[in-house]
Amino acid sequence: QVEAYKETVSNEPLISKIPVAGKIVSEVAEPMSNGVVWNLSNGATVVVKKTDFKEDQILFNAVSRGGYSLFDIKDVINSKVIADVASLGGLGKFSPTDLRKILAGKNVSIKNSISLASEGVSGSSSPKDLETFMQLLYLSFTDLRADNEAYQAFLGRAKAGLKNMDADPKTAFNDTINAVLYNRNPFAQRITYNSIDQVNYERTLQLAKERFANAADFTFVFVGNVDPAQLKPFVETYIASLPGSKGKREDWKNVGMVPSKGKIVKHFEREMQTPKSTVYTFFTGKIPYTVENAIMANMTKQVFDQVFTRTIREEEQGTYGVGVNMSLTTIPEDRFTFMFGFDTDVALKDRLLARAHKEISNVIQNGVSADDFNKIIEFMNKNYTQSLRENSYWLNTISNRYLSGKDLHTTYEAALKAMTPAKLNAFIKQTMTQGNQYEQIMNGTAPAAK
């Protein structure tokens, strides 16, 4: 006789005892977003921007500097899984399964995250479920739940995934990039099937809890259809009550995650069922992280998207497409990374790579075509206008303002209007001629006969 499964739903409240509320001690305008800033009695900062873009949407982010760059090197293995492990066991008295049952029918989501340089909590809520969301937020800071059974299940899934990854040539390709480009920095390397058993779940959870132990270090951002009058008592009850040490502000640490200098070439072979060549090239160097440079980095990506589509894809007909990206970072210093990459037949790789470099040299010497420049400016103006009506744009812009100290909004429109081909050409020349270049090619070979 097998007894039928019985669904059980706990009637317990999310928080058994409502915390003693703190206070909003001051209120000032947030000029960048036309929002409001509340400074709390425990040292935490809350930014609220009410919008009318979506009636049922409130987006949320809490951000703080530090991340696992502050960990001792002996915890580097634990840092590889900390983002997955932090919320693995659920919150408070409730496992993830129990939480899903309790939250059925409610429009709320929440997740802790920890990266190299920061930690945070992100989520969303509808206006009617705001108090439930605030309770989950409180628990995310105070009561990350341990669950060894959930961890063992995670470990089983992770091992299966890592075993499959180790058999995939793409994994070898990405591992080589991280190893060579970042000088085998332990923080840049992924966890492997052979190293995951070295993770200490108890220690990893402890490290995660430490990252959220001081609310004074965080900025809490709410954007959407949020009524400040409704939010105020919830903020005082569930955020101002969090433990906070006002005098203790952390920063990220420089762990040496800086790309290698000079010209480096790395070619290697891997067996493949269908042999091909995967070709990537990185240009790296220093550039100030400014609004104008961020605009020009975005434009540079789009310039080479168009150039490589015309030449490598359409004229050479040697690949389905060329992936291009350009990014700026402030961690651990102001830098840029430009990359392009494509898959092609082994026999075509040298010709296509030479053509790509020829096209880059042509843009550096002769500048961006007027047609390409005008198309990109038109697209960016349209995109910016649309972004201003999106809650996600404001959430990211405000969060970034408090995390990096960079206001990427106030002068953006003026900088975009003032953009000229001459400025963009000078930027491309300045970045692409610094002399730091990493070329990696993985050539496929047919499997050995058995």
Side-chain angles (χ1 to χ4, degrees), residues 277 279 342 344-354 441 443:
S277 286
V279 180
F342 55 88
T344 188
D345 290 339
V346 177
L348 295 177
K349 70 179 188 303
D350 294 332
R351 191 180 92 204
L352 297 190
L353 185 58
I441 300 178
N443 295 311

Side-chain angles (χ1 to χ4, degrees), residues 99-367:
L99 274 176
R100 280 194 294 273
K101 292 175 185 175
I102 289 173
L103 299 175
K106 292 185 183 292
N107 185 3
V108 291
S109 68
I110 198 160
K111 184 174 176 58
N112 293 59
S113 62
I114 302 169
S115 65
L116 176 68
S118 65
E119 50 274 332
V121 181
S122 58
S124 63
S125 174
S126 64
K128 69 180 176 60
D129 296 318
L130 188 55
E131 183 168 18
T132 298
F133 175 81
M134 297 298 283
Q135 291 181 345
L136 292 171
L137 175 60
Y138 180 84
L139 292 173
S140 295
F141 271 80
T142 61
D143 209 348
L144 292 175
R145 181 177 177 273
D147 189 328
N148 283 305
E149 195 175 314
Y151 178 71
Q152 291 305 317
F154 161 78
L155 203 56
R157 292 192 303 273
K159 282 185 172 181
L162 291 170
K163 202 166 191 176
N164 290 334
M165 283 176 67
D166 289 345
D168 187 345
K170 287 180 188 173
T171 303
F173 189 82
N174 293 330
D175 286 353
T176 305
I177 289 174
N178 288 332
V180 178
L181 193 58
Y182 294 104
N183 298 298
R184 300 195 177 277
N185 187 302
F187 284 95
Q189 295 171 35
R190 70 177 178 92
I191 198 155
T192 64
Y193 179 82
N194 292 327
S195 62
I196 194 166
D197 280 328
Q198 297 170 33
V199 171
N200 182 322
Y201 174 49
E202 192 178 330
R203 173 65 178 158
T204 305
L205 195 59
Q206 178 194 340
L207 289 166
K209 289 177 178 179
E210 287 173 5
R211 292 290 80 227
F212 297 95
N214 179 20
D217 213 24
F218 283 79
T219 300
F220 299 77
V221 184
F222 295 85
V223 174
N225 185 20
V226 55
D227 177 3
Q230 179 198 12
L231 183 63
K232 254 183 185 177
F234 294 151
V235 163
E236 291 186 323
T237 301
Y238 298 110
I239 298 180
S241 62
L242 292 170
S245 179
K246 294 181 190 177
K248 191 182 174 189
R249 291 269 173 179
E250 291 180 324
D251 204 348
W252 50 61
K253 191 172 77 176
N254 186 346
V255 296
M257 280 267 286
V258 175
S260 306
K261 291 185 177 179
K263 292 199 173 181
I264 303 168
V265 175
K266 178 77 174 176
H267 296 181
F268 62 95
E269 295 182 343
R270 278 291 182 277
E271 281 190 4
M272 298 179 193
Q273 291 298 321
T274 307
K276 64 177 180 178
S277 286
T278 301
V279 180
Y280 271 42
T281 300
F282 295 83
F283 293 76
T284 63
K286 294 186 178 181
I287 196 82
Y289 194 133
T290 64
V291 171
E292 192 172 57
N293 284 345
I295 289 171
M296 290 190 287
N298 188 341
M299 294 183 77
T300 302
K301 177 217 179 300
Q302 294 181 67
V303 165
F304 287 104
D305 271 337
Q306 295 186 54
V307 168
F308 290 151
T309 297
R310 284 195 299 268
T311 58
I312 308 294
R313 177 174 174 167
E314 294 173 3
E315 291 178 18
E316 297 288 349
Q317 296 188 346
T319 181
Y320 287 115
V322 180
V324 183
N325 194 37
M326 191 171 200
S327 59
L328 304 186
T329 183
T330 61
I331 308 165
E333 58 194 12
D334 287 7
R335 303 188 66 83
F336 77 91
T337 300
F338 172 87
M339 66 77 59
F340 68 87
F342 55 88
D343 290 340
T344 188
D345 290 339
V346 177
L348 295 177
K349 70 179 188 303
D350 294 332
R351 191 180 92 204
L352 297 190
L353 185 58
R355 180 70 189 268
H357 283 291
K358 178 185 174 184
E359 296 303 328
I360 290 171
S361 296
N362 180 50
V363 173
I364 291 171
Q365 289 166 18
N366 302 316

